[in-house]
Amino acid sequence: MLSPPKTLPIEIIENLHGHTIIDPYRWLETGETPAVQEWTAQQNAHCRALLDAFPHREYLREQVTRCAQLGAISTPSVYGGKYFWTKRSGLQNQAVLYVREILSGPDRVLVDPNTLSEHGTVTLDWWFPSPDGTKVAIGLSDNGSELSTLSILDVATRHYLPDTIPDTRFASLAWMPDGHGFYYTRYPGRGTRPTGQEHYHRWIYFHRLGTDFETDPVIFGPSRKPEEYFHVQVSPSGRYVLVTASRTFDYQDLYLLDLRSDSGFVPIVENINASFFGEIVGDSLLIRTNWNAPRFCLMKVKLSELKAPWSMVVRQSSSVLTSFAVTHGQFVVCSYLTRAQSELRVFDLESAFTISVPVPKHSTITTLSAKWDSAEVFFSLTSFAIPTTIYRFEIEKQSLDVFAQIESMVDPASYVVKQVNFPSLDQIPVTMFIVHRKHLKFNGMSPTILTGYGGFNISRTPEFLGSFLTLLDAGAVYALPNIRGGGEYGEDWHKAGMLSRKQNGFDDFLCAAEYLIQHQYTCPEKLAIQGGSNGGLLVGAALTQRPDLFRAVVCQVPLLDMLRYHHFLIARTWIPEYGCAEDRDAFQWLMAYSPYHHVTPITPYPAVLLMTAESDTRVDPLHARKMAARLQAATSSGYPILLRVESQAGHGVGKPTIKRIEESVDVLSFLTAQLGISL
């Protein structure tokens, strides 16, 4: 086997809270230096030499390409009677924004990012139609950077208005009812933020069409902490402005501005450690919250009586209330998770009558869309062997129709989906989905891919496996446990896997692997793990804590140096989830699991494919670079440790289809070769 490039260790020694920390590869943190760029080029060449030599790559490319040709669709939003939605057809690199003038009418192209760059790297990050549907604000960025520039498009003519606003990454935008202006979020002017805080200070401004954005008044933000994120909403009447200030990913404050009053922003919720998401409905505010309700409930308060006690609209149940939408003035449509599977229920606010909308087993509602003054609800549904289908539900008729679906040659009946329970290390029960080809016989030797996430209250639920089905067709097994740190079972489940309890999620994941082995699905020589972002941290921790348990690891856009992660890009926003090594107590638990610091010399590590991207503005590529160098120096197994660094790409959002195909081919080639899958 080809040996990886040699990496020069240059030790940095520092003392943290009385502990000596030795970092031999800190010089790899600065990706712009010629030395690091040359090192990265050598690593990429080494990775390509091994992956390109796999004999079945062309077959895998055919399968991945066929899957990519299925395309993608999004749930429509209705503004001014028009239906706005995105579609990616065939091998288009980027999704296209369409408008449909009437429900049964044809789709008309509004924004096609594929025409804006030679290599398909310009992406549509977000879009916000005006209430009457005559204009749409869009955000475009390049190379996966997500550093959007805002433009305004006239829907009828497809002509752009003169207004252009930079630095609108992760924009929240709310139009005034007359369509002549909007509230929006952006960074202050470049060069105005302190060094090291370039990715923070995202404030709310007001822009009136036809004016210079540099004169836009700041509405909310300068007095808040730099890491906070804001969401803005305007009531249909145009009287009220609602601001959601996210102090963390889980804790929000709510403020209301009455434009007919000079009292400024009035706090609705402030400094309560709970989640609050509000939607203005008529003269009231509906609030989804886990305040004293870890699985969430829905409450209501009148905008004119904010000090009055809130009334309960939908009580907490045994399921997790994940989202809601109001339609026809009196119906609340609620999406739930029950054992990590979606349910849809409709509540009549006037009569308390409840309707259950039939949803297939082992499926996920990914998006719910409705307007409070409309009678129709849209939601998208997917499952492991079923790509996205968008349904339209009419409340009064109780009719459920398909609005659009991705046509697939996959036969869902060819696959078995089961959900099992297993005890974690502390005997807490954990659920796990297991998917495999029908009639597969188990003797403990099936190649198996185990994946997970376990963080930020994000739920991992059934989703279309796409190109992974190629491996299942060849006899592989796919497993997805719902580990602690995620949101599958509410806020208590999330809290049980964050901060000082982060190890619980790792234990859940390792016990999932043990379950698969004990129940004769697979064995360590046939078991691979895969995860990205926080899931990359997950598989990095599993790799360093139990290298004997796995044969291969795919670690994508990961966090791995948990003592220094908070110094880079937007990572200070994650301190409430992980903690910060500058704090003595947090240092103890971060040091206990930080994957980079637990790589042990002369250890037989499994094969590892580390994947990152140059333009990632969320998780800095330095994590993958440093981990690759340390693993390559430490491993004694002879299995490859590969680093794949993508150019003109970021954390994953907006990645062109052609790059997604090549990435998938590399992942499948790596897994197939390491697990001995016969194609």
Side-chain angles (χ1 to χ4, degrees), residues 5-25:
K6 297 295 183 182
T7 306
L8 177 67
I10 303 175
E11 289 189 350
I12 299 292
I13 301 175
E14 59 185 344
N15 186 287
L16 286 177
H17 308 295
H19 295 261
T20 299
I21 307 298
I22 301 175
D23 189 347
Y25 300 110

Side-chain angles (χ1 to χ4, degrees), residues 277 288 298 320-325 332-336 344-345 365-368:
F277 176 79
R288 172 184 170 268
L298 197 61
V320 180
L321 173 58
T322 56
S323 62
F324 75 94
V332 180
V333 185
C334 295
S335 175
Y336 285 90
L344 198 62
R345 306 171 194 168
I365 294 172
T366 55
T367 313
L368 187 63

Side-chain angles (χ1 to χ4, degrees), residues 34-223:
V36 174
Q37 290 178 349
E38 174 61 26
W39 179 89
T40 300
Q42 293 175 2
Q43 290 287 340
N44 268 334
H46 174 65
C47 181
R48 289 265 53 89
L50 269 67
L51 292 181
D52 290 347
F54 182 64
H56 298 292
R57 281 182 65 84
E58 288 311 309
Y59 170 76
L60 289 174
R61 182 174 282 104
E62 290 174 6
Q63 298 303 307
V64 172
T65 302
R66 186 177 68 172
C67 180
Q69 286 175 322
L70 296 177
I73 52 179
S74 72
T75 308
S77 296
V78 184
Y79 293 86
K82 303 179 181 70
Y83 299 81
F84 296 83
W85 64 318
T86 61
K87 291 189 292 183
R88 184 185 62 76
S89 303
L91 293 179
Q92 283 182 312
N93 277 312
Q94 301 290 345
V96 177
L97 177 62
Y98 291 89
V99 64
R100 187 180 294 187
E101 307 291 342
I102 58 174
L103 182 63
S104 58
D107 294 322
R108 180 166 60 87
V109 172
L110 281 181
V111 181
D112 184 357
N114 299 287
T115 64
L116 302 178
S117 66
E118 180 182 354
H119 301 291
T121 55
V122 171
T123 187
L124 179 65
D125 292 328
W126 43 260
W127 44 276
F128 295 93
S130 60
D132 62 3
T134 62
K135 293 178 285 290
V136 59
I138 65 168
L140 295 169
S141 66
D142 200 3
N143 296 332
S145 68
E146 303 175 272
L147 301 177
S148 318
T149 296
L150 184 154
S151 301
I152 309 295
L153 186 72
D154 183 285
V155 171
T157 65
R158 289 190 64 201
H159 291 158
Y160 284 95
L161 277 63
D163 308 73
T164 301
I165 305 175
D167 298 320
T168 54
R169 176 182 185 170
F170 301 150
S172 173
L173 188 147
W175 287 88
M176 292 299 289
D178 61 10
H180 291 131
F182 51 81
Y183 294 88
Y184 71 106
T185 59
R186 67 167 167 89
Y187 297 123
R190 297 180 185 182
T192 63
R193 287 160 283 175
T195 300
Q197 295 190 13
E198 294 85 358
H199 298 278
Y200 306 115
H201 300 279
R202 178 175 166 272
W203 300 339
I204 298 176
Y205 296 77
F206 180 78
H207 180 74
R208 183 164 294 280
L209 295 183
T211 64
D212 184 350
F213 79 90
E214 292 186 344
T215 65
D216 289 350
V218 180
I219 304 301
F220 191 92
S223 64

Side-chain angles (χ1 to χ4, degrees), residues 60-61 125 275 341 372 529 563:
L60 289 174
R61 182 174 282 104
D125 292 328
S275 174
Q341 303 171 56
W372 75 278
I529 53 176
L563 300 188

Side-chain angles (χ1 to χ4, degrees), residues 451-454 483 505-506 509 529 533-543 559:
T451 187
Y453 191 80
I483 65 176
F506 304 149
F509 192 69
I529 53 176
S533 197
N534 177 77
L537 168 61
L538 169 67
V539 299
L543 160 69
L559 290 93

